[in-house]
Amino acid sequence: MRTVLEHLAAAMAGRTPLPGVRTPLDEVVGLIAAERLVSLVDLPGFDNSAMDGYAVQAADLAGARRKRGVRLPVIAHLAAGDAPTQEVRPGTAIQIMTGAPVPPGADAVVPVEDTYGGAQMVTVTAAVPAGRHVRRRGEDLAAGSVVVSPGDVLTPRRIGLLAAAGHGEVMVHPRPRVAVLSTGAELVPPGDDLAPGQIYDSNSHLLAAAVTAAGGRTAYRGRIGDDPATVRAELTRLAAQVDLVITTGGVSMGVHDVVKDVLRESGTVEFVQVAMQPGKPQGLGVLMDGDRQVPFFGLPGNPVSAAVSFVVFVRPVVRRMLGLEPADTTTVTVELTAGLRSPAGKVQFARAQSRMLPSGRLGAQPVAGQGSHFVADLAAADLLLVVPPDATELSAGSLVEAVLLDGELAVTQ
Ligand code: AMP
Ligand code: MG
């Protein structure tokens, strides 16, 4: 039997970020930049006004006071977007709005609050030092400065900077296209009528959503029976369209373990037992699309096993393909609020709910149903406790490592 870490290492081996694709800014939030870009412009691009007011020569206003205003003729008006056509000469002013270019001759802007008057004449009631309320060309960033580097996360702020710097597109590692296929003759789409022995296919929905939540793109989600020829054809068809294929079901020791039967002979997918609970039987490898290798995960069919396997093995691969580092699942330390039994020799991934303890520590209440078919208790959990192979009995108060199922906590008091 393989350890969890050995299997994770096998899953990650050879996985690299997908080649960069130039992509419009509207589609890149949360993705990782795959190129270096420099600003095409100075920021600000020209000296401009920080206030609504009057562009002036500061020396004209040295004597301006509240009770002893200085009157100036207003010779022009400049709104944001206008290009100056006149110069501020000594003893004149140009009315100016925020963001409008400071006209030649002017060396300061008097805010409208320090004036009265209007469009023809203005009385300025306060002196202003040279340079005041002028945003200087290039004071934020000079043209040619780096605005994004490979590996940077494209946050909303970084996207704003790219746009300000003149870039409408950026090269990113694209979202991996993922196919999710449930296998099992018993499966029916939710919403249909159930015949005796049938159940609703929940795995494909759970995994498709998990792919999206991990940053991937579910390019196909579907369900198929247990007929080997059909499954073989479907896997070939899907591999040609995507960057990653996930199946559920048909990988254990049953008579109709179709995924195993179809792919065992391929030589590119191995079927192994991993020392974990749930999730022991795992298929892992690549499907061939001509010369192209398409990573493949054959997850077990039990819904909790499939969900846990995704978090532990598939999510890190999706993150790696996106160029996210660390690609591995991160853990937090939590304090058990109830005891827990665990099998010897395996990592148990027990589901639990987080809660804030009076001590200020983060607590974890294991859900009641730890069997791999308890989908309601799975849905109630936000933590996956990582109980090590040598721990068979943990008492309340024990400290345990836990994976955040959604990458964040949903702490209840
Ligand atoms: P298998 O790994 O195919 O033997 O399936 C193990 C268990 O998981 C069986 O009880 C299946 O009915 C159940 N199961 C398999 N696939 C799904 C699915 N897509 N949705 C819900 N339950 C499933
Ligand atoms: Mg099955």
Side-chain angles (χ1 to χ4, degrees):
M1 247 198 295
R2 239 185 211 182
T3 68
V4 171
L5 286 179
E6 285 166 353
H7 195 65
L8 177 60
M12 297 290 270
R15 301 283 73 85
T16 52
L18 294 180
V21 176
R22 184 144 288 121
T23 307
L25 293 188
D26 288 331
E27 296 166 26
V28 300
V29 68
L31 298 182
I32 303 300
E35 67 175 338
R36 180 174 174 277
L37 288 176
V38 300
S39 185
L40 302 179
V41 292
D42 287 326
L43 291 175
F46 45 88
D47 289 0
N48 71 93
S49 178
M51 301 291 277
D52 294 331
Y54 294 85
V56 295
Q57 294 197 351
D60 287 343
L61 302 173
R65 301 285 178 274
R66 222 159 80 82
K67 296 256 160 66
R68 200 154 48 86
V70 172
R71 265 166 74 78
L72 299 171
V74 179
I75 60 166
H77 176 93
L78 282 172
D82 287 347
T85 56
Q86 300 201 51
E87 188 180 331
V88 172
R89 281 181 304 277
T92 68
I94 290 180
Q95 193 173 28
I96 191 166
M97 300 300 132
T98 304
V102 172
D107 62 2
V109 171
V110 183
V112 71
E113 292 85 344
D114 291 340
T115 68
Y116 57 90
Q120 309 298 323
M121 292 295 292
V122 63
T123 300
V124 180
T125 56
V128 64
R132 180 62 60 88
H133 304 310
V134 177
R135 304 163 168 169
R136 288 284 167 212
R137 172 175 183 162
E139 72 178 1
D140 186 5
L141 196 74
S145 307
V146 175
V147 285
V148 73
S149 300
D152 283 351
V153 182
L154 293 165
T155 62
R157 281 94 51 208
R158 179 85 39 201
I159 291 167
L161 173 61
L162 281 165
H167 295 285
E169 298 182 333
V170 56
M171 184 110 77
V172 294
H173 300 293
R175 300 184 185 284
R177 299 163 300 167
V178 182
V180 176
L181 183 66
S182 288
T183 71
E186 72 278 31
L187 303 175
V188 170
D192 282 13
D193 291 333
L194 289 175
Q198 293 184 325
I199 60 168
Y200 292 126
D201 164 30
S202 62
N203 287 351
S204 75
H205 288 279
L206 184 154
L207 291 173
V211 164
T212 305
R217 187 160 74 76
T218 305
Y220 175 86
R221 182 198 58 73
R223 157 193 55 83
I224 199 166
D226 288 322
D227 171 55
T230 321
V231 170
R232 186 178 294 116
E234 187 68 345
L235 288 176
T236 304
R237 186 183 77 83
L238 291 175
Q241 300 172 8
V242 297
D243 306 303
L244 174 67
V245 174
I246 308 170
T247 62
T248 71
V251 294
S252 51
M253 305 301 215
V255 181
H256 301 289
D257 279 329
V258 64
V259 174
K260 201 172 184 175
D261 293 347
V262 164
L263 292 179
R264 198 166 23 196
E265 307 311 325
S266 72
T268 63
V269 176
E270 52 182 358
F271 291 87
V272 297
Q273 312 263 299
V274 181
M276 65 192 279
Q277 186 186 64
K280 186 168 75 159
Q282 295 283 341
L284 177 68
V286 294
L287 304 180
M288 297 309 294
D289 170 43
D291 285 346
R292 195 172 68 100
Q293 297 191 343
V294 182
F296 171 82
F297 286 91
L299 305 183
N302 275 307
V304 180
S305 313
V308 167
S309 304
F310 182 89
V311 170
V312 178
F313 302 124
V314 189
R315 192 163 74 179
V317 168
V318 171
R319 288 176 60 82
R320 171 68 53 83
M321 291 171 126
L322 282 162
L324 278 167
E325 296 293 346
D328 292 346
T329 304
T330 45
T331 59
V332 293
T333 303
V334 295
E335 179 179 326
L336 289 184
T337 57
L340 192 65
R341 283 173 191 282
S342 183
K346 292 180 186 172
V347 174
Q348 187 192 16
F349 290 101
R351 280 75 62 209
Q353 284 178 319
S354 63
R355 54 193 48 173
M356 201 49 80
L357 301 177
S359 63
R361 270 203 294 277
L362 188 62
Q365 174 71 30
V367 300
Q370 293 289 345
S372 55
H373 59 292
F374 281 87
V375 290
D377 275 339
L378 172 66
D382 66 332
L383 291 177
L384 207 52
L385 306 179
V386 187
V387 184
D390 53 351
T392 52
E393 185 125 29
L394 291 174
S395 52
S398 305
L399 298 182
V400 187
E401 292 298 294
V403 175
L404 308 183
L405 278 168
D406 296 311
E408 60 189 66
L409 283 175
V411 177
T412 50
Q413 293 290 335

